[in-house]
Amino acid sequence: ENRRLQEELKYLKQQISPHFLMNVLNNIHEMTEENVEEAQDMILELSYLLRYVLYESEKDMTTLRSECLFISSYISLMKQRYVEDIVTVAAEMPESISEDISIPPLLFISFIENAFKHGISYNRPSFIDIDLSVQGENLCCTVKNSRHPSYVAQNSGIGLNNITKRMDMLFNRNYTLKIDRSNDDVYTVKMIIPIKR
C-alpha cells in the first residue's frame, strides 16, 4: 500500500511539471510576437525555473527559502507580459526564512498559475495578490485575483485537481484549503499546511 501511494504521489508531481511548462511556453510564444528581447529574457528565466522543477520535484521536501525564490522568479517571468498600470501584481513573502523550515516542493504554483490565467484582463484593471507567511508551526498561502464578466470557472483543470490529491496524500487531511467565490469581483484561495523543522 505504501509503495502504491508513493508511485501515485510521484505521478501527481510529474503531472504538475508539464502543466506548468505548457502555460509558460504559451506565454513566451505570445511575447515573441511583441518583443524579441523580452522573450529572450523570459527564456533565461524559464531555464532557472525548469531546473528547479526538474530537480526539486524529485525530492520529498525542499526548503521554504528555495520555494519562495522559485515563486518570485515565476512572478517576475509572468509580470513581463503585462502593462503595469493595468495589471497590479503584489507578493508578500517572509523576509527572513530559516533554512530549517521544509515543505513539499511545488505545492502553491498551481494556485498562482490559475490566478494569472483567470484573473487577468487586457481590457479592465486587474490584480493578483499573493501572501505567504509563517504562522507558528504553519505556513499560510493566500492568493487573490480579480474576476471579470468573461470569467471562466476557476479551480478546474488537471493542476488543481492534482494538488488536492497530493495534499491529501502528504498531510492526511491535516491541512486547510478554502476557496472563496462569494465575491463577484475577487477570487480567493487560502491554504494552510504544517511545516517541518
Side-chain angles (χ1 to χ4, degrees):
E1 178 68 10
N2 182 62
R3 199 158 48 238
R4 184 188 67 79
L5 290 174
Q6 289 299 322
E7 286 300 314
E8 185 173 351
L9 182 57
K10 181 179 180 182
Y11 170 75
L12 292 177
K13 288 198 292 185
Q14 288 173 340
Q15 286 279 35
I16 292 171
S17 301
H19 182 257
F20 165 78
L21 178 59
M22 178 182 65
N23 286 343
V24 176
L25 285 175
N26 285 338
N27 294 338
I28 291 176
H29 178 264
E30 291 178 16
M31 182 58 71
T32 58
E33 299 176 356
E34 302 169 12
N35 189 316
V36 173
E37 289 185 3
E38 285 192 20
Q40 291 172 337
D41 291 339
M42 292 173 75
I43 290 171
L44 290 176
E45 193 80 46
L46 177 60
S47 68
Y48 164 76
L49 296 178
L50 285 178
R51 281 195 300 272
Y52 186 87
V53 170
L54 289 171
Y55 295 115
E56 294 302 312
S57 66
E58 293 299 314
K59 301 178 182 177
D60 292 333
M61 305 293 285
T62 189
T63 65
L64 177 57
R65 182 189 300 276
S66 296
E67 192 74 2
C68 285
L69 289 173
F70 169 74
I71 291 171
S72 295
S73 294
Y74 177 82
I75 294 170
S76 174
L77 180 65
M78 297 300 293
K79 284 172 69 175
Q80 295 182 49
R81 290 189 59 202
Y82 306 113
V83 179
E84 289 187 7
D85 59 350
I86 297 177
V87 178
T88 302
V89 180
E92 291 288 334
M93 284 181 255
E95 292 184 4
S96 178
I97 306 174
S98 173
E99 285 289 350
D100 64 352
I101 297 178
S102 298
I103 61 171
L106 304 172
L107 203 55
F108 308 114
I109 192 61
S110 289
F111 299 112
I112 296 171
E113 274 187 283
N114 274 271
F116 278 99
K117 181 178 180 182
H118 297 288
I120 301 299
S121 169
Y122 289 98
N123 303 317
R124 299 181 58 188
S126 306
F127 75 89
I128 296 173
D129 289 338
I130 300 163
D131 184 271
L132 197 63
S133 61
V134 177
Q135 301 176 0
E137 295 303 311
N138 294 312
L139 180 65
C140 180
C141 178
T142 304
V143 181
K144 297 181 180 180
N145 60 263
S146 47
R147 298 173 75 177
H148 305 284
S150 59
Y151 170 80
V152 177
Q154 206 166 339
N155 190 34
S156 60
I158 191 170
L160 290 178
N161 289 335
N162 280 349
I163 205 70
T164 302
K165 290 180 181 178
R166 185 179 173 208
M167 288 172 65
D168 285 342
M169 294 174 66
L170 288 169
F171 302 113
N172 193 26
R173 301 191 181 277
N174 182 29
Y175 68 90
T176 299
L177 177 60
K178 294 181 180 179
I179 298 176
D180 185 357
R181 306 179 185 87
S182 61
N183 189 322
D184 290 339
D185 299 318
V186 182
Y187 179 91
T188 303
V189 174
K190 184 173 184 178
M191 183 197 300
I192 302 174
I193 63 168
I195 56 177
K196 294 185 179 180
R197 298 179 185 268

